[in-house]
Amino acid sequence: MASTPLDSKDVHVVAFTEESEHDGSDADIYVTLLDATEVPIACPSKRKTTADEMKAAVMTKLQLPASSKDLWSIWVASQSLQLECLSHHKPLKMVRDWTELLRDYTELREPMEDPIIYLRKASLVHVGVEQEQTDEGVITMFFRELTYNVVYSLYPMDYDMAVQMAAIHLQLVAGNEAKKHDIDLIEGCLMPHHLKTLKNTLTRGWHRAILKARADGHLGALAPFALMQKYLALGRQCAIYGTTFFFGQVEQPDVAHRLWERPDMHVRVGISFDGVHIIDEDTNKTLLSLPYHNFTYNVYMDDDTGATCFFMEYDDLDEDGEAIRERVSVWSKQAELMDYLVTQYLPIVEQWQELVNERAKVQGLTIKTLKRGQGRHAKGHHKSDVSSVRKKSFFTFRRHRDEPGGARPVTAQPSLANAPASTHEASALHALADLDLSLAKEPSSTATASTETPVTLL
């Protein structure tokens, strides 16, 4: 699927005129899916239509079972901000106020982005819940979301796994008559950006590998629904499946005889059913994966700059095999969101502990130590007291390439007209829209939930 710049003409929300507000007629909007399908629905309450009403309308159009309601959320998104709506929120009011939201919750100097409304999985839906689903429409929605995350490198699959998954897409779309030239025409067959190395491009033969994997896997004997299930089964082997991503920076390792301080490393922090994962944004390599029982965590604020940091402490071995206590600090405006989502996952993981243990054995989650650099730790910032920080109701952080000190994401983001905003862009967890969470707590041997105080915003 080609990527074209998001154009102001590409309006996904039909504007409400004064006439349409009062004549009692239905005003249509389009809710986008992750495969860029646009679902037209009517808004019974015009601008006051709630996310719950929109979700119900889309589910009816897609013939999704009512029992799957809790699996989905309405999201409002543009290139730099995506917000998951609570059931009572009014997405059209959020669209109207989008410029203000961009100004408040992004670092855009001139917030000019046009939002869209779309449907995708709720942030806390995990693999255990997914595996209980049998409806073909629900499985198809899961399939669409996984395809997006694989193709656009949000899930950094290795080469062989990516080839197998692309082969399934080729069979699903082109069938038994699939040819080499079909690969370039199918979005699910595109080589993920992080695999586009010189070696893979020139010597490994992406097209040839896909055709071979399709033949070796005997995919021609499988029905379309079985192919989608096989695709999902492969994707769920990955520890970061179902991950919500945040963006931040960590200190780079020490280098001997270096006279100047190394710049911080840009990372994605993925929080999923299986734990917390830190991924190098430049190389898409996983630097650290920690199951929930392996670390303690907290959030603190730098007293001088006001910058917030999400940190984890875990046991590791030094070069001599001696036990040491390591800490990794992720500096990010999204630190509170990371803390909140980890806290939300703890009771879920406890409830599904048997599945968590089974997945950990298969995946072999490993600790890859991030050594302290010569940045904030060396300056003593790690000694700052934990401060009570009010959680933002709507939040994002995504610097643009042309901004000073900005992030340098290697993930090529497609146009929102063709593929909705990725989970890589900062997502405001739905519950945060109604919570003011106090994070003034000390690290402990076991993670504890934050205090929750309801707030009404929309």
Side-chain angles (χ1 to χ4, degrees):
M1 185 175 297
S3 293
T4 56
L6 183 63
D7 196 297
S8 59
K9 297 180 292 184
D10 186 10
V11 180
H12 291 258
V13 180
V14 178
F16 286 90
T17 65
E18 289 298 320
E19 204 172 273
S20 67
E21 290 277 11
H22 302 291
D23 65 5
S25 63
D26 287 333
D28 290 333
I29 67 168
Y30 291 97
V31 176
T32 306
L33 307 181
L34 283 178
D35 64 350
T37 299
E38 294 178 330
V39 182
I41 63 170
C43 294
S45 304
K46 301 298 185 286
R47 289 195 185 278
K48 296 182 180 180
T49 300
T50 65
D52 212 29
E53 291 172 320
M54 285 188 183
K55 180 166 67 172
V58 177
M59 289 180 62
T60 299
K61 281 289 184 74
L62 297 177
Q63 299 182 340
L64 295 173
S67 59
S68 70
K69 178 181 178 181
D70 293 339
L71 299 176
W72 322 112
S73 285
I74 291 291
W75 296 67
V76 182
S78 66
Q79 291 96 324
S80 302
L81 176 65
Q82 58 177 340
L83 304 174
E84 183 180 15
C85 301
L86 283 170
S87 60
H88 67 275
H89 284 164
K90 301 173 178 64
L92 290 173
K93 286 191 174 182
M94 294 169 66
V95 169
R96 181 195 62 190
D97 299 333
W98 199 249
T99 299
E100 182 180 347
L101 290 170
L102 287 172
R103 188 175 292 113
D104 290 343
Y105 302 109
T106 76
E107 296 191 353
L108 292 175
R109 293 172 179 173
E110 298 181 4
M112 301 287 290
E113 298 176 358
D114 294 322
I116 62 172
I117 297 173
Y118 70 106
L119 185 79
R120 56 163 274 215
K121 280 192 303 185
S123 57
L124 289 173
V125 172
H126 58 86
V127 64
V129 173
E130 287 189 27
Q131 289 176 335
E132 295 178 341
Q133 309 304 313
T134 57
D135 181 80
E136 186 169 346
V138 171
I139 300 299
T140 300
M141 292 286 287
F142 294 157
F143 173 80
R144 288 166 170 162
E145 185 155 338
L146 177 57
T147 298
Y148 180 89
N149 288 323
V150 170
V151 170
Y152 296 106
S153 288
L154 301 178
Y155 294 175
M157 300 292 185
D158 63 36
Y159 187 88
D160 292 336
M161 178 69 79
V163 165
Q164 291 182 58
M165 300 180 84
I168 293 174
H169 260 283
L170 180 63
Q171 178 64 36
L172 189 62
V173 176
N176 293 328
E177 303 302 319
K179 304 296 182 185
K180 182 178 178 179
H181 68 269
D182 294 323
I183 295 173
D184 294 327
L185 304 176
I186 300 170
E187 183 182 38
C189 293
L190 299 178
M191 181 187 284
H193 182 86
H194 70 282
L195 296 177
K196 293 181 179 179
T197 63
L198 186 63
K199 176 182 178 182
N200 289 342
T201 303
L202 297 180
T203 65
R204 300 190 72 168
W206 176 255
H207 295 71
R208 182 171 63 254
I210 291 175
L211 292 172
K212 184 177 186 302
R214 174 181 163 274
D216 293 347
H218 306 290
L219 301 179
L222 298 179
F225 185 59
L227 287 169
M228 287 192 288
Q229 290 178 312
K230 184 176 180 66
Y231 189 87
L232 285 166
L234 288 174
R236 288 169 180 158
Q237 294 177 22
C238 180
I240 62 173
Y241 179 83
T243 291
T244 298
F245 286 107
F246 304 92
F247 182 81
Q249 298 176 9
V250 298
E251 299 166 17
Q252 294 203 54
D254 289 324
V255 175
H257 310 299
R258 195 178 185 95
L259 300 179
W260 58 89
E261 180 180 308
R262 301 184 74 189
D264 287 350
M265 180 188 304
H266 298 280
V267 296
R268 294 201 307 278
V269 178
I271 299 174
S272 71
F273 181 69
D274 297 297
V276 178
H277 320 278
I278 298 179
I279 301 170
D280 187 331
E281 183 67 6
D282 288 329
T283 64
N284 237 5
K285 292 182 178 179
T286 301
L287 304 173
L288 181 71
S289 283
L290 293 172
Y292 289 106
H293 65 273
N294 276 15
F295 66 90
T296 59
Y297 66 101
N298 212 328
V299 172
Y300 62 82
M301 176 183 288
D302 185 283
D303 296 332
D304 297 325
T305 67
T308 52
C309 173
F310 173 76
F311 71 86
M312 298 182 293
E313 292 185 344
Y314 57 95
D315 293 324
D316 198 9
L317 299 177
D318 63 15
E319 295 177 355
D320 298 323
E322 297 292 330
I324 56 173
R325 190 70 173 168
E326 285 285 0
R327 171 189 287 190
V328 56
S329 299
V330 181
W331 293 87
S332 172
K333 290 184 178 181
Q334 302 171 39
E336 299 162 81
L337 294 180
M338 300 175 200
D339 176 272
Y340 175 76
L341 187 54
V342 170
T343 301
Q344 290 297 103
Y345 257 118
L346 291 177
I348 296 174
V349 169
E350 184 177 353
Q351 180 183 356
W352 293 81
Q353 192 61 56
E354 186 176 343
L355 177 60
V356 171
N357 294 339
E358 290 176 2
R359 287 177 58 79
K361 289 178 182 177
V362 173
Q363 295 154 355
L365 292 184
T366 58
I367 296 176
K368 301 179 182 179
T369 305
L370 289 169
K371 300 296 183 183
R372 291 180 180 177
Q374 295 297 321
R376 297 180 179 89
H377 280 307
K379 298 175 183 177
H381 289 278
H382 63 290
K383 299 178 182 178
S384 300
D385 292 333
V386 176
S387 301
S388 178
V389 184
R390 186 185 187 280
K391 281 191 178 292
K392 295 182 178 179
S393 347
F394 299 107
F395 182 86
T396 191
F397 178 47
R398 174 109 184 261
R399 289 176 178 154
H400 282 218
R401 293 172 183 267
D402 57 351
E403 294 188 40
R408 305 183 306 280
V410 297
T411 303
Q413 294 301 326
S415 162
L416 290 178
N418 294 314
S422 73
T423 48
H424 171 210
E425 298 162 346
S427 59
L429 302 175
H430 66 284
L432 289 181
D434 276 6
L435 295 178
D436 181 11
L437 304 179
S438 174
L439 299 172
K441 60 181 185 294
E442 295 298 327
S444 60
S445 58
T446 57
T448 57
S450 303
T451 304
E452 302 179 358
T453 304
V455 182
T456 301
L457 292 174
L458 289 176

